[in-house]
Every structure is written in C-alpha cells, then in structure tokens.
Amino acid sequence: MWFYALRKFGYGLAVMAGVVVVVFVLFNILPGDPARMTLGQRADVQSLEAVRKEFGLDRSRPMQFVLFLNDLSPVGFHEDNKQTQEKYHYIRLISYSSDVIALKWPYLRRSYQTKREVSTILSETVPNTFVLAATAMLFATLLGVLLGVLSAVHQNTWIDHAVNAFAIMGLSAPSFFAGIIIAWFFGFVLGPYTGLNMSGSLYSYDPFKGEVLTLKNLVLPVLTLGLRPLAIIVQLTRTTMLDILAQDYIRTARAKGLGRNAIIYKHALKNAMNPVITAISGWFASLLAGSFFVEYIFGYNGLGRATVRALEMSDFPVVMGSILFIALVFVVINIFVDVLYVLVDPRVKLNN
C-alpha cells in the first residue's frame, strides 16, 4: 500500500511539473505589457523600466523561467539577507558567502496591480470558495443519493420518470446559464418572498457589527454550483443500485425474509457507493475550479472572482497562482481517491 501511494505521489509530481511549464509558457506568450497595465498608458519610460526590473520582467525568457522554478521549488537558491528572509521565510540548509540554499514554502510572487503577495490573496479567498464548493457538494451528494435510490426502488413509475427528467435538465443546463436564471428568478422576481439577494458574499459588512456571516448568500450559488453534480450522482446512484438489486445475493436476502429497508440501505446501497465515492471526490475538485463563473455571477468573494478580475487586468501572478493551486488540489484529491478506492474495494489491484 505504501509503495502504491508513493508511486501515485510520483505521478502527481510529474503532473504538477507539466502544469508549471504550461502555465509559464502560456502566460508569457499572451499579449499585453504587465508594467504598462500596472502604471497606465501615460507612464514614462523610466517608470516602466523600474516596474519591469522590480518584477523581473527585464530578464530573458529562459532566465525568467529559471527564477520562476526557483521561487516555486521547496528547496531554493537565494541571497542570504533580511529582505530575502522576510520574502521567502526560508530555513538555511547550506550557506556560503552571501548566498544560501534553503528550505521554504513555494513562493507565488506578488500581484502586479496591488503589490500584495499572491499567497495572501489566496489565503483570503480560498476559504470562501472551499465553503461554497463543500456546501454544494454536500447538497448534491445527500439529495443525489436519496433521489437515485428512490428512482431505482420505484423503477418505471412516475417517481422514476420525474427524477430522470430532473437529472436530464440538470445535465443540460450550463452553470453560467443556470446561475443567471436562478439569480434572476429567486433573487429578483421572488426576492421579496425568499429574502435572497442576487449577489453577495459569505461575509457582509454591517456598519455597527463590522463583518458578519451571511449564510443566505450561499443558497443561490450552492444551488447553481451543485445542480450538475447532483444530476450526475442521481443517475450514477440509480444505475448502480439497479445493477446491485439484480444480483443473486440480493435475491437470497429477500428469500431469507430480510426487510426492504435492510436490503436497500444495509446491503445494496453500501455496495453501490464505490463509484459514487469516486464521482463525489472528483467532482469536489471540479467544483473548486467550476466556481469561477458562479462566483462572478453572484458577486461572491472567492478565488474564482479574484482570478477573473485579475485576468481582466492582466495581473498574471494572481492568475498563475490560482491555476497552480487548483491543479494541486486536483492532484492531491486524485491521489487520495486512488488510495481510498483500494481501501474501500479490496477487489482493486494495487498494481493498477
């Protein structure tokens, strides 16, 4: 098991290395001058050159890539001074002359527009996006498994047909389109009755209390973001349950006189959850990435909204940091799912 986990970890590192290369190449061939975007169109030549030097944009492309890798690497080569220590927060491994080889956290650089650390921007926005994605996944999982079981148990009845129609509708509607319709209908048309807003973040500002938790602003984004995985889980649960309910051991359990609920929830549902677990874990990472447009539509202060706004302003360090973080989440969750799948289902071979 440990060898299997280490091998998956090695694959994950290879994937992240590929993502780093693609991200650097992609954002260094895009049109636009970050220095001019930072200072404006009327900036003088001296100011532009100063900004390019500050962010290392005056170096050649190969040297920029080497410095980019050095910043991202957990072991880096840097000048050993107070300014560098405050920037990288490193632990010295080898010191010589005025330089040091040090152990550190990956450094995602600073925003061109705000001059703030990208890691700080991520730490402020990722928790909000995580809450949104986790709540949407919980909503989709609980309702999806329930509807899938009901559809399978009541096969070819009006319940089954209604659930299938709902699932097809959820699969057919793109998130950005569903978000606009949901925001308009529940936030505008029915706003006086639902009390829900068309836009709003997890925390809102109260002139007397300061920042207050506003859970009602989660409702519409969660409904929008969870609609598609809900439809997937419904269909997957239904299909798997129908296959399990047709197995010989289920017929044997019925012949022994076991109750209907015991057969469905103790025997059938337990064995039907393996592919559902895989779908849930994979979709959670997808929801983190898929929240970009949903957050933008609902004005939700999360990683997606911050990334879209940074892209509009050619604030490439923020966009690159966001993409690398999402890629890391995908890799970690995939490794976790592979290991969990082996633990849950002993029939899976470790040499796969």
Side-chain angles (χ1 to χ4, degrees), residues 207-236:
F208 300 102
K209 299 179 182 179
E211 272 194 340
V212 293
L213 184 65
T214 314
L215 292 177
K216 70 175 185 178
N217 289 338
L218 267 178
V219 175
L220 298 184
V222 163
L223 180 60
T224 303
L225 196 60
L227 190 60
R228 192 173 182 83
L230 169 61
I232 296 283
I233 292 173
V234 166
Q235 291 193 333
L236 185 59

Side-chain angles (χ1 to χ4, degrees), residues 73-81 84-95 99-106:
S73 173
V75 178
F77 177 82
H78 305 285
E79 293 183 0
D80 191 10
N81 53 51
T84 309
Q85 173 65 35
E86 292 176 350
K87 181 179 179 181
Y88 294 101
H89 306 287
Y90 57 74
I91 299 175
R92 295 176 181 84
L93 296 178
I94 301 175
S95 298
D99 299 316
V100 62
I101 297 177
L103 184 67
K104 61 181 179 60
W105 286 103

Side-chain angles (χ1 to χ4, degrees), residues 155-228:
Q155 185 183 14
N156 297 326
T157 65
W158 70 268
I159 296 177
D160 186 24
H161 297 320
V163 170
N164 279 328
F166 172 75
I168 293 172
M169 182 184 68
L171 285 172
S172 303
S175 294
F176 65 89
F177 175 75
I180 294 172
I181 299 300
I182 289 173
W184 172 77
F185 186 71
F186 292 102
F188 180 73
V189 177
L190 298 181
Y193 307 101
T194 62
L196 301 175
N197 302 317
M198 290 185 66
S199 63
S201 295
L202 185 60
Y203 290 91
S204 58
Y205 181 77
D206 185 278
F208 300 102
K209 299 179 182 179
E211 272 194 340
V212 293
L213 184 65
T214 314
L215 292 177
K216 70 175 185 178
N217 289 338
L218 267 178
V219 175
L220 298 184
V222 163
L223 180 60
T224 303
L225 196 60
L227 190 60
R228 192 173 182 83

Side-chain angles (χ1 to χ4, degrees), residues 142-152 159 163 166 230 234 237-238:
L142 295 179
L143 188 58
V145 171
L146 176 62
L147 292 178
V149 171
L150 284 175
S151 180
I159 296 177
V163 170
F166 172 75
L230 169 61
V234 166
T237 304
R238 178 185 182 275

Side-chain angles (χ1 to χ4, degrees), residues 22-76:
V22 171
V23 166
F24 179 84
V25 172
L26 178 64
F27 285 96
N28 277 273
I29 62 174
L30 287 176
D33 184 357
R36 191 168 292 281
M37 291 292 294
T38 302
L39 297 178
Q41 297 299 321
R42 297 184 179 182
D44 56 81
V45 176
Q46 290 80 6
S47 299
L48 290 173
E49 290 300 325
V51 170
R52 292 190 183 104
K53 185 175 181 180
E54 178 184 0
F55 290 105
L57 301 174
D58 58 334
R59 307 289 187 92
S60 64
R61 287 287 189 268
M63 181 55 65
Q64 288 186 42
F65 181 64
V66 170
L67 294 176
F68 183 60
L69 292 181
N70 191 48
D71 284 343
L72 290 180
S73 173
V75 178

Side-chain angles (χ1 to χ4, degrees), residues 334-350:
N334 283 331
I335 293 174
F336 175 76
V337 170
D338 288 340
V339 175
L340 180 63
Y341 204 64
V342 171
L343 294 175
V344 172
D345 191 350
R347 295 172 297 178
V348 178
K349 296 180 180 181
L350 292 178

